[in-house]
């Protein structure tokens, strides 16, 4: 069955449709209102609260990135600078150096002997005698006996004099020595410990019952004989 709308009804429907289309068109124009060049004419506005929120977020991101690197603390730096530099250690070392006993090598006896041996490296020292501020050394050099004086203060050679060649007995004793005069001094030093400042006053080669010895007399009058081959003490006279 065909149904026919009356004119007033059709007119009402047309008005309603047109109004609906007009409203739709208005909403699209408000949403996409553009200028003549095709760009949106409505400005985008960011509120102050939104900007503050963005800044806070950026600050938190920066703090997180910085947290990955290690930073030194003042107390750590102070500990690093002070490590291994305890001034009390240096003080203790200096005090020990000042109170330690002098080495026996500083004695003018050894210093003078070193001077003579440096001057005559091929010579053989076979006798020495203390005389006031000097030591008188007797050295076998090129087959002759040379007397050499060294100053006890400067340790320098201050006098030399050539004598005749040693006799056959002296040469035999010199040839038989395996322990030189410097080693004999040290053996005596170990034995007596240089008591009361006593040290060598005189030393020479000699024979005791067929044994060649270094006969050494100390400042305090004590006499000690050292075997020139074994280094043994064969005689100690107090």
């Amino acid at each position: 069955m065909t149904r026919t709308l009356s004119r007033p009804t059709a007119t009402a429907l047309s008005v309603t449709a047109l109004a609906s289309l007009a409203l739709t068109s208005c909403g699209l124009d408000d949403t996409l209102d553009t200028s003549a060049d095709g760009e949106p004419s409505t400005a985008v506005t960011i509120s102050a609260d939104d900007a503050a929120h963005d800044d806070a977020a950026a600050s938190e991101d920066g703090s997180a990135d910085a947290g990955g690197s290690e930073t030194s603390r003042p107390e750590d730096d102070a500990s690093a600078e002070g490590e291994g530099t305890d001034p009390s250690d240096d003080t203790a070392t200096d005090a020990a150096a000042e109170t330690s006993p002098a080495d026996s090598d500083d004695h003018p006896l050894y210093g003078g002997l070193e001077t003579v041996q440096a001057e005559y490296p091929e010579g053989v020292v076979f006798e020495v005698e203390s005389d006031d501020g000097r030591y008188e050394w007797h050295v076998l050099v090129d087959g002759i006996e040379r007397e050499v004086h060294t100053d006890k203060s400067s340790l320098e050679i201050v006098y030399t004099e050539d004598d005749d060649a040693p006799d056959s007995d002296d040469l035999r004793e010199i040839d038989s020595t395996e322990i030189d005069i410097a080693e004999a001094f040290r053996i005596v030093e170990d034995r007596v410990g240089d008591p009361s400042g006593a040290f060598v006053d005189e030393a020479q080669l000699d024979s005791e019952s067929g044994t060649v010895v270094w006969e050494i007399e100390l400042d305090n009058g004590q006499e000690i004989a050292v075997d020139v081959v074994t280094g043994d003490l064969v005689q100690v006279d107090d």
Side-chain angles (χ1 to χ4, degrees), residues 30-205:
D30 291 340
T31 305
L32 297 175
D33 185 16
T34 57
S35 61
D37 58 3
E39 292 297 325
S41 60
T42 303
V44 178
T45 304
I46 299 177
S47 67
D49 292 340
D50 292 338
H53 176 74
D54 292 341
D55 291 343
S59 177
E60 289 176 1
D61 292 340
S63 299
D65 294 339
S69 62
E70 184 177 351
T71 57
S72 61
R73 296 174 299 171
E75 55 268 31
D76 293 339
D77 296 339
S79 299
E81 293 176 357
E83 184 177 357
T85 57
D86 187 1
S88 62
D89 294 340
D90 295 337
T91 303
T93 302
D94 294 341
E98 292 175 0
T99 58
S100 60
D103 194 321
S104 60
D105 289 346
D106 295 333
H107 194 283
L109 178 73
Y110 290 113
L113 178 59
E114 288 180 359
T115 300
V116 173
Q117 290 176 330
E119 183 70 18
Y120 307 103
E122 302 299 325
V124 178
V125 179
F126 62 92
E127 184 177 344
V128 64
E129 180 179 357
S130 177
D131 182 18
D132 294 332
R134 299 182 180 184
Y135 280 111
E136 299 177 4
W137 306 90
H138 295 261
V139 189
L140 179 63
V141 181
D142 298 331
I144 64 171
E145 178 181 349
R146 178 164 297 169
E147 183 176 330
V148 182
H149 295 191
T150 58
D151 185 86
K152 289 183 179 180
S153 298
S154 67
L155 308 181
E156 296 179 353
I157 295 175
V158 294
Y159 176 82
T160 61
E161 181 181 345
D162 289 344
D163 292 334
D164 296 334
D167 59 31
S168 58
D169 290 338
D170 290 339
L171 290 174
R172 179 182 60 82
E173 293 171 351
I174 292 171
D175 291 340
S176 64
T177 58
E178 295 185 15
I179 294 193
D180 65 12
I181 194 169
E183 189 170 354
F185 290 159
R186 297 192 184 281
I187 291 172
V188 171
E189 181 182 357
D190 291 340
R191 170 65 176 79
V192 301
D194 193 16
S196 304
F199 213 75
V200 175
D201 184 64
E202 183 179 341
Q204 61 183 356
L205 289 172

Side-chain angles (χ1 to χ4, degrees), residues 188 191-192 214-216 218 222-226 233 235-236:
V188 171
R191 170 65 176 79
V192 301
W214 286 106
E215 188 176 84
I216 300 175
L218 305 183
Q222 186 178 17
E223 293 183 359
I224 300 176
V226 180
L233 300 179
Q235 177 183 342
V236 178

